[in-house]
Amino acid sequence: MPEKNNWTIFICAVLLCVLASGCYPSRSLRRTDKWMLKTNSVKIDGESKVSSSELESIIKQRPNRNIGFSLPVPSIWGSPYKWDVILLRFNLRAYNIGLRGKGKFFLWLRDKVGEPPVAYDTALTSRSVVQMNEYMFQKGYFNSKTRVETKTNRAKKMIRVAYIVDPGTPYLINSLKTVFPDERLQSLYNETFKESLIINGEIYDYDVLEKERQRMVTHYQNNGYYYFTREYIRFDVDSALNDHKVNLTMVVKNRIIRTDSAGVSKTQTVPHTYYYNRYYYVYPEYDFFANQQYTDTITKDSVKIVYNNKLPINQKLVYNNLLFPGTWYSQFDANETYRSFSSLNLYRNIKIEFKEAKNDPNRNRLDGYIYLSPFKRNSFTSEARLETRAANGSSNGSLNIGVSGNISFQKRNAFRNGEILGISLAGGLEPFFLNDSAASRNFFNTVEFGPTVSLSFPRFLLPISQDRFSKSARAKTIVAISYNILQNEDIRRRASKLTLTYEWNESAKKKHSITPAEFSLVKADLSTALDKRLNELGDPFLKNTYNSQFILASSYTYIYSDQYDNKADKALYNRSKIEGAGNALRELAQKIDSWEKTESGSYLIAGIPFAQYLKIENEFKTYRKTFFNNVVAFRLFAGAAKPYKNLGSLPFEKSYFAGGSNGIRAWGARSLGPGAYLDTNTFRGFLNRLGEIRLEGNIEYRFKITKLLEWAFFADAGNIWVFKETGNRTNTEFSHEFYKQIALGAGFGARFDLDFLIFRIDVAFPLRDPSMPEGEKWFYQDKEEYNGYVSRYNERNALSGRSAIRSYRVRPNFNIGIGYPF
């Protein structure tokens, strides 16, 4: 069968690449006395709280980068070597190819993409042994010993290295004594004694002592000790005890001052001073690259705002973002002030520093200087996008390409109270039609266009004093209004929306958002052909979805984000949202006899039925770095939206769809599901591809090829469903056997890191299509029953050539996007 042949060729090509990458990777070392380092392994021969992965990170010499994974050998086998499943040494393979070729391309492949084989170095191995023993010592294993074993493959000239660590008996903390130079330092320590990280009976750990030092430094700096640093805390360790125990003494030292007199540097030991805040000098339009002279100052209490000619921002905004409530210096308050001004999105650079106050007879006061360098007040941005989607269904259609873009204008500090005014104009053209009874001859037959205006306020717009809210919450109010027109041969749709949203931070990782009012009015005019098709389907869910609607919704969103950056080894993101519409409105309408309603019992506003539903969803994402800083990303989404009596269906914007460049990438956008639905009446389009329930999971493995280029392998799974099957859409209802209707796809892609954006190309293949008949869902299975449906459909409608529906073949789905998919 054709599909089998295609997959056979594809799989064979992948296997050839994998095998080729493993053929003599040490080729360039064959005529030398060097061995290629294949793998490192660490085996801990005994009980230890230190993991082998911790010790592996210490090893000084790493093997070549590869795509693969390692499995530990069961301890009962006694082997110190891991099972290494190396799928592809891409960079090493590129280096070997570059060596054999000539010309600029091969030179680039060798030097820029390639990586030479890592030659085993005994000196680095010896250094690794020393570092491991030192690390174990710091973790309380004072008598730890490490030895090295190697295993060679003479035919491939490779060597595997195993580090066997005998941890010995760990030393436990027996007692902790403290020594302070004055009573106030002692008292502050006693305040947080219960939070101490040093616990008697625990294994001695140098890292725990360092964390305890930092904890105490933070506590002291937040209570007035501006000059207190970790160098003033020393731990003395006495291990001259029996039974492997240690006594600790924490010594807090006095401050050391260095002075220069007559060219001679001297040091002097003095008691620590805790400082009070005196004045705060705020420069709201500071230029770090110019020597400016300021002529004007506004003083209120202890705050002095320094500027020239005209104050560029309301002074109340400055006071609201200064978080110095205490009488003494606090590093925590300084950090919160930095975050608060940064959250305004008005300043390019922010610098906060403290200096000892001049002319202070007590010599214990600080003046704070806050330098704010603003962004340009007005800015324009533009963005163009190339979008793809499958035409005429997921399995037998061709690839359609659409173009879209937007132009945005932003005015920061619009009314000198920190507001941000945004105006954008978005539009797009694409070959997309909702009427799946006939195909369009026009390539760009769908036009979408509309403006959006938003205004963000750095405070809550409420008839309540702002003093009731914590400054650290960094509250925002966002008002947005938009108008959108979508028009093609089948539908003319006009959507107006007005939203009011309040946002605030509970902490650096927790964010809340409430939208008390989202007002939407959708007016739709359907073509005769589309209206006829909807009537033929006999599905009131779809009929109501595409008709005019009024939406008055409210929602609450909670976000937890452990910010992911290049230095973090892992990160978590979770977004939970609940949204409801029309429930209170219908209760009100039922109490008013004169409220307009239809014969079916749907209440109207201005002659248009309003939507009634409850929607709950959650999205979880996690990122983890693996070896060589490669990244494994995982995403899980679950959502359900239940329509209620007034309309009986979800609005088009609130319905779920599956597929697309940020979803299940083996299917085009709006071309998968719901459930196992198979439209054998038309074999076309997107009209029926809406649902009320969505489950989706994605996993992606990303690895660097060069600084610019990153590759990824991924797998996607999921689908959409409805709560109750209606009309002619069969096999769409969610049940306890929903897992049998999960779609599976996998593929690979390239990410181009252009600094200012990431451009992405993905190629995905459907592995399991739930819409196929039983026994034909997997890609490798024959499609006789499905192709029979296609053949009879073409004969019945006298279709041939390019107008005919094609028989099933496994075809890749191409996706082009901006940024990572998740």
Side-chain angles (χ1 to χ4, degrees), residues 457-626:
F457 301 85
R459 58 192 176 278
F460 285 136
L461 291 185
L462 291 170
I464 302 174
S465 173
Q466 298 297 307
D467 295 336
R468 295 194 175 188
F469 305 105
S470 170
K471 293 182 179 181
S472 61
R474 294 186 278 279
K476 288 185 179 180
T477 303
I478 303 170
V479 180
I481 184 170
S482 65
Y483 184 72
N484 180 270
I485 298 175
L486 184 146
Q487 183 169 341
N488 62 18
E489 300 163 3
D490 299 303
I491 187 171
R492 184 172 185 265
R493 188 172 174 276
R494 292 152 291 167
S496 304
K497 180 187 289 188
L498 174 65
T499 61
L500 172 66
T501 302
Y502 299 105
E503 295 180 355
W504 73 96
N505 296 325
E506 178 185 339
S507 66
K509 297 180 180 180
K510 300 175 182 178
K511 182 177 180 180
H512 302 266
S513 175
I514 290 180
T515 301
E518 178 188 315
F519 171 86
S520 299
L521 178 61
V522 179
K523 302 195 73 174
D525 298 319
L526 308 184
S527 68
T528 303
L530 178 56
D531 191 60
K532 178 182 178 182
R533 178 67 183 132
L534 288 169
N535 291 329
E536 289 175 354
L537 289 171
D539 192 337
F541 174 87
L542 291 175
K543 182 73 174 178
N544 290 331
T545 295
Y546 286 103
N547 279 338
S548 299
Q549 296 167 354
F550 174 87
I551 307 170
L552 181 58
S554 301
S555 64
Y556 165 73
T557 304
Y558 170 76
I559 295 176
Y560 175 89
S561 179
D562 184 358
Q563 184 65 37
Y564 173 71
D565 56 42
N566 292 329
K567 296 181 181 179
D569 291 329
K570 60 182 179 179
L572 296 175
Y573 172 91
N574 194 83
R575 180 183 64 87
S576 303
K577 181 178 181 180
I578 181 169
E579 179 180 334
N583 300 296
L585 196 58
R586 183 174 174 86
E587 290 294 324
L588 176 64
Q590 289 175 336
K591 295 178 180 180
I592 301 176
D593 295 335
S594 60
W595 198 297
E596 182 184 7
K597 65 178 180 179
T598 64
E599 294 181 359
S600 60
S602 296
Y603 290 93
L604 308 177
I605 295 178
I608 299 175
F610 60 83
Q612 184 185 7
Y613 63 86
L614 180 65
K615 186 176 186 179
I616 301 175
E617 61 187 33
N618 191 84
E619 182 180 30
F620 171 80
K621 295 186 286 188
T622 181
Y623 309 85
R624 287 183 176 270
K625 282 190 176 181
T626 62

Side-chain angles (χ1 to χ4, degrees), residues 197-208:
L197 303 176
I198 301 174
I199 302 173
N200 291 343
E202 292 289 327
I203 298 175
Y204 168 86
D205 190 335
Y206 177 80
D207 291 335
V208 172

Side-chain angles (χ1 to χ4, degrees), residues 41-56 73 75 79-81 132 135-136 141 144-147 162-168:
S41 302
V42 175
K43 180 182 179 182
I44 300 178
D45 194 6
E47 294 186 6
S48 171
K49 71 171 185 177
V50 180
S51 66
S52 58
S53 60
E54 290 179 70
L55 294 174
E56 282 184 15
V73 175
S75 58
S79 173
Y81 303 101
M132 284 186 184
Y135 185 81
M136 294 296 291
Y141 298 88
S144 173
K145 296 180 181 179
T146 303
R147 72 179 193 275
Y163 298 83
I164 297 92
V165 180
D166 179 7

Side-chain angles (χ1 to χ4, degrees), residues 387-391 397-401 431 443 806 812-815:
E387 300 175 341
T388 64
R389 66 171 82 237
S398 59
L399 181 72
N400 281 337
I401 298 177
F443 187 73
R806 291 180 287 178
N813 189 55
F814 294 90
N815 296 278

Side-chain angles (χ1 to χ4, degrees), residues 748-797:
F748 56 90
R751 288 89 176 90
F752 299 91
D753 189 348
L754 306 178
D755 289 335
F756 57 93
L757 62 84
I758 293 177
F759 178 72
R760 171 168 53 93
I761 301 175
D762 287 329
V763 182
F765 296 85
L767 303 182
R768 187 179 189 275
D769 189 340
S771 69
M772 292 292 104
E774 288 297 328
E776 300 182 4
K777 297 182 183 297
W778 289 97
F779 71 93
Y780 56 81
Q781 294 175 319
D782 292 334
K783 304 295 187 292
E784 293 183 3
E785 184 175 349
Y786 175 81
N787 289 335
Y789 292 147
V790 171
S791 178
R792 290 189 291 273
Y793 176 84
N794 289 332
E795 292 176 1
R796 184 170 62 251
N797 294 277

Side-chain angles (χ1 to χ4, degrees), residues 121-148:
D121 189 330
T122 55
L124 291 177
T125 300
S126 298
R127 285 179 56 190
S128 299
V129 169
V130 172
Q131 292 289 329
M132 284 186 184
N133 288 333
E134 290 180 356
Y135 185 81
M136 294 296 291
F137 186 93
Q138 292 178 354
K139 290 295 182 180
Y141 298 88
F142 295 167
N143 301 316
S144 173
K145 296 180 181 179
T146 303
R147 72 179 193 275
V148 176

